[in-house]
Amino acid sequence: MSIKRIFHDPIHKEIVFDSGKPEELMIMELIDTIVFQRLRRIKQLGAASLLFHGAESSRFTHSIGVFCIARKICIRLTEIKSSFCDHKFVLYAAALLHDLGHGPLSHTSEEIFDHNHEKWSQNLVKNYSPINSILKKYDNELPKKVGELFESKQLFSKPLKTLISSEIDCDRLDYLLRDSYNTGTKYGLIDLERIISALTFSPDGNIAIKPKGVLAIEHFLVLRNLMYRTIYNHKINEISTWILDKIIRTVRRNYEKKIWLDKSLHKWIFSPTNVNFDDFIRNDDITFFYHLIRWKDESSEPLSTLCKMFIDRDLLKASDISSLSKIDRLEILAIARKLCETNNYDPELFCGIKERSFKGFESNNALKIWDGTHQNSLENYSELIKTLMKSKESSFIIYPSLIKNEIKYQISLLKTKS
């Protein structure tokens, strides 16, 4: 008897799974595993909820959304080339499991721990028995095929890689829509249906886009640019990650002072190569926040203050110094360090320069345009897309709020001088 399960999603509305279809039964079984349910406890946007209070959605909801988009695209491409249907087990599994390896607070873990979520996703798919055994029921080679799609160095030459990891893939199509919705920053909705309807195959066998879909792609890439500038690279995110990084560094340096730490997080911090599947599953946002709260209440300085800053949202401040020369940036850093020492703040922990690079659109890892006769790159077809290929560097000076006025004054003097 066929059983249907419905997920009511704020972006894609009803997402229906039908157990009568083997590929969807596989997805239902994967969703019910402990390691996938863990994604309910991993925030999609990390610490961004300290700035955008609605940014509380999880990697679980995002992963379901990515699967939904992959299924829509699979149906569309199968209409064009019936043999593409043969890829649906690999595509569906990869879309659902692509973020399985994320650590606490998602991408923040990449910076504060020695953690690579793509490698962990691959490891879980290939070697974690509850996931591996489900995949092998449907195809003995499925774990290997799915795991290979998570390898970042794989050449961009296969249709499945285009859909799972490229500049315009199922992952990005979902998270831009979802993150815009959850943060309340609605610059415009991606015309998802238009993009999907314009997909086709080019003569080289890869997935391409028809000219009619270029306007929707332009809109998508503009939205991506705005989201990075206003949300993902916002200075509050940079400050939060800075504080968390200093917390973990302080724990490493002062562990002999009897800092409370459970066995799993101890491995994450001190011996990441020894983290096993059980240690991985145990460490989620809830476990990590519990540690932060205990350290805030029970640890000595400066760990207690750093944890209090994050938990109570009494954050450090940051000023944009991107327009200053490198020499002037070092000068403002020297001033900030001296002011920290004067006010009894450890300058190694409470001030510093945080630099961030935003990569523009990378044409060599994106769809091409196919009009039925000629193949062309998106940037050659669209002047707007060409402008979105530029990368941008930004630089912030981070410091305690107590010295905010003096830092801002010194920055203004340096700007006037230059």
Side-chain angles (χ1 to χ4, degrees), residues 39-49 54-64 66 98-99 102-108 171-172 174-180 182-183 227 231-232 285:
L39 295 180
R40 293 182 184 272
R41 306 186 299 277
I42 303 291
K43 284 187 180 181
Q44 165 78 1
L45 285 169
S49 59
E56 297 282 353
S57 66
S58 68
R59 286 280 156 185
F60 180 94
T61 60
H62 166 60
S63 297
I64 298 291
V66 175
H98 76 287
D99 276 346
H102 267 295
L105 296 175
S106 291
H107 289 288
T108 305
D171 179 29
R172 288 164 174 79
D174 183 81
Y175 76 62
L176 289 178
L177 279 168
R178 193 171 300 278
D179 296 349
S180 178
N182 286 317
T183 56
M227 291 291 284
I231 297 174
Y232 306 133
D285 288 7

Side-chain angles (χ1 to χ4, degrees), residues 226-361:
L226 290 171
M227 291 291 284
Y228 270 91
R229 285 162 54 192
T230 59
I231 297 174
Y232 306 133
N233 290 347
H234 193 283
K235 67 179 181 179
I236 295 297
N237 278 337
E238 301 296 343
I239 293 168
S240 300
T241 302
W242 172 279
I243 293 172
L244 290 172
D245 179 64
K246 297 305 179 184
I247 287 171
I248 298 303
R249 288 173 184 267
T250 301
V251 170
R252 287 194 183 109
R253 286 205 306 261
N254 298 281
Y255 184 61
E256 69 279 1
K257 294 183 180 180
K258 297 182 179 179
I259 296 171
W260 181 84
L261 196 60
D262 74 12
K263 291 181 180 178
S264 296
L265 190 57
H266 184 280
K267 287 186 183 179
W268 275 72
I269 294 174
F270 290 99
S271 54
T273 56
N274 294 326
V275 171
N276 58 35
F277 292 129
D278 185 58
D279 298 320
F280 174 82
I281 292 170
R282 287 175 181 276
N283 196 19
D284 53 31
D285 288 7
I286 294 173
T287 300
F288 187 50
F289 271 68
Y290 178 67
H291 279 79
L292 294 177
I293 291 169
R294 284 199 61 167
W295 294 339
K296 174 178 78 79
D297 295 336
E298 300 174 8
S299 297
S300 57
E301 297 298 344
L303 182 58
S304 177
T305 294
L306 286 166
C307 292
K308 179 177 174 56
M309 283 181 167
F310 184 82
I311 293 296
D312 297 342
R313 202 192 178 282
D314 185 16
L315 304 174
L316 296 167
K317 299 298 180 182
S319 295
D320 192 343
I321 56 172
S322 304
S323 62
L324 297 180
S325 67
K326 290 186 177 181
I327 292 176
D328 286 344
R329 291 178 195 179
L330 292 175
E331 184 174 340
I332 200 68
L333 175 61
I335 293 170
R337 289 176 65 88
K338 187 173 182 179
L339 288 169
C340 277
E341 289 176 345
T342 302
N343 289 276
N344 298 316
Y345 284 103
D346 183 345
E348 294 295 327
L349 298 174
F350 292 95
C351 78
I353 291 176
K354 186 76 182 286
E355 295 182 331
R356 172 70 72 178
S357 175
F358 166 63
K359 291 184 178 180
F361 171 68

Side-chain angles (χ1 to χ4, degrees), residues 16-267:
V16 181
F17 298 87
D18 185 351
S19 66
K21 299 176 180 178
E23 67 276 12
E24 295 188 15
L25 175 60
M26 175 190 71
I27 294 299
M28 292 167 73
E29 292 172 347
L30 290 170
I31 288 173
D32 288 337
T33 60
I34 292 172
V35 71
F36 191 82
Q37 289 294 318
R38 170 185 173 273
L39 295 180
R40 293 182 184 272
R41 306 186 299 277
I42 303 291
K43 284 187 180 181
Q44 165 78 1
L45 285 169
S49 59
L50 295 178
L51 176 65
F52 302 97
H53 66 271
E56 297 282 353
S57 66
S58 68
R59 286 280 156 185
F60 180 94
T61 60
H62 166 60
S63 297
I64 298 291
V66 175
F67 160 77
C68 178
I69 292 175
R71 181 170 61 180
K72 288 181 179 181
I73 291 175
C74 185
I75 292 170
R76 162 63 184 164
L77 294 176
T78 300
E79 291 172 353
I80 302 170
K81 183 191 289 186
S82 60
S83 62
F84 190 78
C85 185
D86 297 339
H87 298 300
K88 60 187 174 184
F89 281 92
V90 181
L91 176 60
Y92 288 5
L96 185 79
L97 304 175
H98 76 287
D99 276 346
L100 201 61
H102 267 295
L105 296 175
S106 291
H107 289 288
T108 305
S109 282
E110 316 279 317
E111 298 193 43
I112 66 175
F113 301 114
D114 183 11
H115 185 75
N116 182 311
H117 83 274
E118 291 176 336
K119 288 183 178 179
W120 262 98
S121 293
Q122 186 181 50
N123 186 21
L124 288 161
V125 164
K126 288 185 173 182
N127 302 309
Y128 179 62
S129 179
I131 295 290
N132 185 280
S133 60
I134 291 171
L135 295 175
K136 283 188 173 181
K137 278 199 307 183
Y138 298 91
D139 178 354
N140 202 50
E141 293 297 310
L142 201 49
K144 179 176 179 291
K145 292 175 182 177
V146 173
E148 285 176 351
L149 289 175
F150 298 153
E151 292 179 7
S152 58
K153 292 183 179 180
Q154 188 182 19
L155 293 175
F156 181 75
S157 59
K158 299 178 181 178
L160 291 180
K161 187 66 174 176
T162 306
L163 297 177
I164 296 301
S165 181
S166 69
E167 286 288 280
I168 307 167
D169 59 16
C170 299
D171 179 29
R172 288 164 174 79
L173 287 168
D174 183 81
Y175 76 62
L176 289 178
L177 279 168
R178 193 171 300 278
D179 296 349
S180 178
Y181 174 86
N182 286 317
T183 56
T185 53
K186 294 187 178 179
Y187 299 107
L189 296 175
I190 297 169
D191 193 349
L192 180 61
E193 301 306 321
R194 183 67 169 179
I195 292 173
I196 292 175
S197 69
L199 293 175
T200 187
F201 288 97
S202 58
D204 61 6
N206 212 340
I207 300 168
I209 190 111
K210 295 178 181 177
K212 71 174 186 178
V214 173
L215 189 62
I217 294 294
E218 287 178 336
H219 187 187
F220 165 81
L221 292 173
V222 168
L223 175 59
R224 173 183 177 271
N225 186 283
L226 290 171
M227 291 291 284
Y228 270 91
R229 285 162 54 192
T230 59
I231 297 174
Y232 306 133
N233 290 347
H234 193 283
K235 67 179 181 179
I236 295 297
N237 278 337
E238 301 296 343
I239 293 168
S240 300
T241 302
W242 172 279
I243 293 172
L244 290 172
D245 179 64
K246 297 305 179 184
I247 287 171
I248 298 303
R249 288 173 184 267
T250 301
V251 170
R252 287 194 183 109
R253 286 205 306 261
N254 298 281
Y255 184 61
E256 69 279 1
K257 294 183 180 180
K258 297 182 179 179
I259 296 171
W260 181 84
L261 196 60
D262 74 12
K263 291 181 180 178
S264 296
L265 190 57
H266 184 280
K267 287 186 183 179

